[in-house]
Amino acid sequence: MAANVPPGLLRKRFGFHAWLGHAERLWQEVLAEARACAREQPTLVAVHASDHDPRALAAAREHARRAGVERAIQFTLAKAEERTLPSNGPGVIVTNPPYGSRLQAEAVSLLYARFGDTLRRRFLGWTAWVLTANRAATKRIGLRPTRRIPLWNGPMECRLLCFPIHDNPVTRAEPPRWRLEPPSE
């Protein structure tokens, strides 16, 4: 949306092309107008994408290229806690961390806890949206979600959770004691 690229702009065929009464000439005019707007409109927001897995980052870059928005995204190979922040103020983080289907439960729990620590220390005033199917690990983030939206990721029931991050920095070096204890299911 920020790049003003309509969904499916690069798509060659749509089901409505076979409809009786489809006005191909009118469609081509609308398509040409959409392409011109997408080229003319500058990106209004900075989009930063990162992952610690080079294959995941390459896949994200390829999908962005196919969607026509690669030029609007800065891709970085890094873990969340290693990211340098843009200097232009608070923003929004969207993440889909592992649920535990490929990683052991203890490793996933630790990952969520470290992610929560990073949010509360480095992303002050930001908002984080987390898509997850692992409710137990989500509690380890240490923030209370203000929104919980049920979704399905393939066959897995998930939640899209909104975590506003307070402006006050966490000053203690140690994580809270409750975070050191194993999560209860």
Side-chain angles (χ1 to χ4, degrees), residues 43-157:
T43 301
L44 302 176
V45 297
V47 177
H48 301 267
S50 65
D51 200 291
H52 73 282
D53 182 346
R55 294 170 300 182
L57 203 59
R61 187 184 304 271
E62 174 60 17
H63 290 295
R65 184 195 64 75
R66 290 175 56 200
V69 295
E70 181 183 21
R71 63 182 161 73
I73 303 172
Q74 176 189 337
F75 293 91
T76 306
L77 184 64
K79 293 181 179 180
E81 59 265 20
E82 297 168 351
R83 288 285 297 156
T84 56
L85 301 177
S87 60
N88 58 350
V92 177
I93 296 169
V94 180
T95 186
N96 182 10
Y99 307 154
S101 55
R102 290 178 293 186
L103 296 175
Q104 292 180 346
E106 191 174 312
V108 170
S109 182
L110 181 60
L111 177 99
Y112 279 63
R114 280 197 329 254
F115 180 64
D117 289 343
T118 299
L119 291 176
R120 291 180 299 124
R121 285 188 168 89
R122 301 196 53 228
F123 293 87
L124 304 178
W126 287 51
T127 301
W129 286 87
V130 179
L131 176 66
T132 184
N134 191 328
R135 294 183 190 177
T138 302
K139 294 175 184 175
R140 304 290 289 193
I141 291 174
L143 296 168
R144 183 167 286 136
T146 56
R147 294 194 59 199
R148 295 172 182 86
I149 302 169
L151 298 171
W152 289 86
N153 187 359
M156 299 176 74
E157 185 178 359

Side-chain angles (χ1 to χ4, degrees), residues 24-47:
E24 183 62 25
R25 192 179 76 200
L26 178 59
W27 167 246
Q28 290 303 323
E29 290 174 17
V30 169
L31 192 57
E33 183 180 327
R35 286 181 177 144
C37 287
R39 280 194 298 270
E40 293 171 8
Q41 194 69 274
T43 301
L44 302 176
V45 297
V47 177

